Amino acid sequence: MSPAGASYAWLPPNWELVYCCRAFLRSPLNGRKDDVVAAAREFAAGGLDAAFVTVSGEAADRALTSVREGGRVACPYGAMPDPNVRPGVELIRYNGARSQDATDKLNRLIDSGPFDVHVARTFPFDQVVDAHRALATHYVGKLALRVS
């Protein structure tokens, strides 16, 4: 549970289910192979309060069955096909904000406290081809290219 008492999940582009709450961080799940619904039920027996979805499709739809009635699913415009949420679950669509105000808000959030950015792997610049190939593999976090 988060400090506010809610349970959340995030479905990133590489089809993993990651729990946002540090205290309940589990090993990432591969939505194409693992039982995401069972893992979500173990994490939040009453169902997830919210999910942040950046992709759609069969694996995401299966995972979204774990969102409780009255819960919310946030998804960007452009994710095709539309995620399937059951009746009683609100689908909230959004566009990314690109403005000075949005950048200032992000900078304030960054300055307000610690947070972790998980880098799965860092490649030296001379391995840029390997870094590009790694984009098609299963990884958790971000891939980084070191240019110096």
Side-chain angles (χ1 to χ4, degrees):
M1 297 285 225
S2 73
S7 53
Y8 300 90
W10 170 51
L11 293 166
N14 52 356
W15 293 92
E16 294 155 345
L17 178 65
V18 177
Y19 302 116
C20 297
C21 307
R22 189 183 226 353
F24 291 96
L25 189 63
R26 304 272 200 271
S27 298
L29 301 170
N30 182 326
R32 293 185 175 134
K33 298 176 185 172
D34 298 325
D35 190 344
V36 176
V37 175
R41 287 193 180 128
E42 179 185 336
F43 173 69
L48 298 170
D49 298 298
F52 175 65
V53 181
T54 57
V55 296
S56 58
E58 186 178 320
D61 289 345
R62 266 194 324 273
L64 292 177
T65 64
S66 302
V67 177
R68 67 169 176 76
E69 186 169 336
R72 300 172 317 276
V73 173
C75 181
Y77 285 106
M80 299 298 284
D82 284 341
N84 289 317
V85 297
R86 60 190 169 81
V89 173
E90 180 182 8
L91 177 61
I92 302 167
R93 301 294 240 161
Y94 65 91
N95 283 317
R98 295 182 183 166
S99 68
Q100 188 61 50
D101 287 342
T103 302
D104 292 344
K105 180 178 180 181
L106 177 60
N107 286 331
R108 283 191 305 275
L109 290 169
I110 290 169
D111 290 341
S112 71
F115 65 94
D116 295 322
V117 176
H118 182 77
V119 178
R121 189 165 172 202
T122 301
F123 295 86
F125 190 73
D126 63 346
Q127 292 180 12
V128 68
V129 172
D130 294 330
H132 193 265
R133 285 186 186 123
L135 292 170
T137 66
H138 178 78
Y139 57 93
V140 179
K142 300 294 181 185
L143 299 178
L145 188 63
R146 188 174 43 249
V147 294
S148 59

